[in-house]
Amino acid sequence: MNREELKEKYGKKRIPHEWRKTDWFTILVVTFFGSGMSPKAPGTMGSLAAAIAAYPLAILAKSEPFGQTDFLFPSHSFHWGIFINLFFITAALIVFFAAIPFVKKAMKDTGTEDPGWIVIDEVCGIFMALAFIPSEFIVAHPWILAVAFGLFRFFDILKPLGIHKMEKLPGAWGVMADDLLGGIYAGLVLVIGLVAPAVFLM
């Protein structure tokens, strides 16, 4: 192993500087307020920042004027179904579509393709993972954020079940879509993990 390879493998990792080629507001958005600037595991740091931000958002979702933002699909009258958290699913979709032009601009300005410091896609995925959990449960049991974080990172890193194919969508759409799908899978696994023991014990 030569000197350059040793330096690459064991040297101190530094924050890439290509982001300087675009404007500060775009960077603020795509790095989720700088969380993606971590020289190590920026995707993990972005996901962690999103999970932390989700707690006060869950508190906000319980307050007026949001009030009732959870409902049981397909109907309240049934004793089974999947909870849909309208607040978080709306937040995930807003982040998804609002981030597209910023991600596109960041990649064009810096001449990169899905660089590690773009982590707004991880934010979208974390919010989508929480879109299947009632806000009251998140507030009462904040540990659920850690579980959602872990499940999302699993799907985001390994990209099973068609997630990898979403990356092949053109440009910014591919950057965002795989994390959105990963968040859906993480949320469904989270729901099954919470509901299955309760059903078994009934």
Side-chain angles (χ1 to χ4, degrees):
M1 187 176 290
N2 60 38
R3 182 180 296 180
E4 289 300 320
E5 289 174 331
L6 286 170
K7 184 177 180 181
E8 177 67 23
K9 185 173 182 179
Y10 298 108
K12 183 179 179 181
K13 296 194 178 293
R14 297 184 179 183
I15 301 170
H17 293 286
E18 67 262 18
W19 58 267
R20 297 179 185 275
K21 297 177 182 178
T22 191
D23 64 275
W24 68 270
F25 188 72
T26 296
I27 288 300
L28 194 68
V29 172
V30 300
T31 64
F32 193 54
F33 304 101
S35 59
M37 292 299 187
S38 171
K40 294 184 179 180
T44 298
M45 293 299 104
S47 300
L48 181 61
I52 293 172
Y55 187 75
L57 288 177
I59 295 175
L60 179 64
K62 289 179 56 183
S63 64
E64 295 295 338
F66 300 102
Q68 298 295 323
T69 60
D70 306 325
F71 69 92
L72 188 65
F73 180 83
S75 171
H76 278 296
S77 62
F78 295 149
H79 296 291
W80 60 274
I82 296 177
F83 271 102
I84 302 296
N85 187 320
L86 290 178
F87 185 92
F88 275 105
I89 198 170
T90 300
L93 293 176
I94 288 175
V95 170
F96 180 88
F97 289 107
I100 292 291
F102 290 101
V103 172
K104 182 178 180 181
K105 186 178 188 302
M107 292 193 299
K108 181 180 178 180
D109 290 350
T110 61
T112 57
E113 186 176 344
D114 196 8
W117 43 267
I118 293 182
V119 297
I120 192 64
D121 49 334
E122 273 81 8
V123 177
C124 175
I126 289 289
F127 288 174
M128 182 56 73
L130 296 171
F132 301 93
I133 305 296
S135 298
E136 289 188 3
F137 192 88
I138 296 172
V139 174
H141 307 282
W143 54 264
I144 203 69
L145 296 170
V147 179
F149 166 82
L151 285 171
F152 172 71
R153 289 305 292 158
F154 169 82
F155 284 104
D156 188 30
I157 293 170
L158 297 184
K159 302 187 185 302
L161 304 173
I163 297 176
H164 181 68
K165 292 181 180 179
M166 301 299 286
E167 287 186 311
K168 297 180 181 180
L169 291 173
W173 294 99
V175 174
M176 299 297 298
D178 67 317
D179 290 87
L180 184 68
L181 183 57
I184 292 173
Y185 286 150
L188 291 175
V189 171
L190 185 58
V191 168
I192 292 170
L194 292 173
V195 173
V199 173
F200 181 77
L201 293 173
M202 287 180 63

